[in-house]
Each structure stands twice: as structure tokens, then as C-alpha cells.
Amino acid sequence: MDIKQEITKIKPLIDAYIEKIVPPKGNPQILYDGIRKYFEYGGKRIRPALIAFACELLGGKTEDTITAGTAVEVLHRFF
């Protein structure tokens, strides 16, 4: 298993989950627009890939790490 391969596999899953959990509308709208714009800048998603990589090494599945990986990515982005 290769970490670059893991990043390639996890990135679209994390991006899709971020799209799902970050609401497109809210009050004040400017705040929600800013949050969504910030995630549009992308990123390599290395942290979620490392979580998925560790999970697979211990016998788990990448799909089981999407929530945790997204939480780490969102938390890191806001710090």
C-alpha cells in the first residue's frame, strides 16, 4: 500500500462529504459563502489519507474513516 495511492482514493470521498455537511445557505449568508469558498481552494487531504491508511493497516476499510477524516480536515482548516 502506498500513501499517494491512499490520497488519490480518499480525496474525492472527503471532498464529497465536506460538500454534504457544509450547508450552502445560512444566516448570515456571507459567513456560509466564506466557509464554502475556503473549501473550494482544495488541498491534498493528507490528514484524512493518513487516518484511512492506518485504519487499513489494522484491517479496517477506508469508507469507515470518512467521518473522522473529514472532521480532522475541517478542524485543521479552521485553525
Side-chain angles (χ1 to χ4, degrees):
M1 187 179 304
D2 172 339
I3 193 66
K4 288 181 183 178
Q5 181 182 33
E6 197 62 44
I7 291 170
T8 301
K9 183 168 53 171
I10 196 84
K11 188 177 185 316
L13 300 173
I14 296 295
D15 290 344
Y17 198 73
I18 288 171
E19 186 68 30
K20 177 181 169 185
I21 65 168
V22 177
K25 296 194 182 282
N27 195 7
Q29 186 60 43
I30 194 166
L31 176 63
Y32 287 83
D33 291 343
I35 291 169
R36 293 186 70 78
K37 186 68 171 172
Y38 193 68
F39 281 108
E40 286 175 13
Y41 295 141
K44 295 178 288 297
R45 309 294 189 242
I46 290 173
R47 288 166 192 81
L50 289 173
I51 292 170
F53 190 67
C55 182
E56 285 189 11
L57 285 174
L58 297 171
K61 296 182 273 185
T62 296
E63 294 76 25
D64 296 335
T65 68
I66 302 304
T67 303
T70 302
V72 168
E73 189 69 17
V74 169
L75 184 63
H76 173 74
R77 286 292 190 136
F78 287 109
F79 283 133

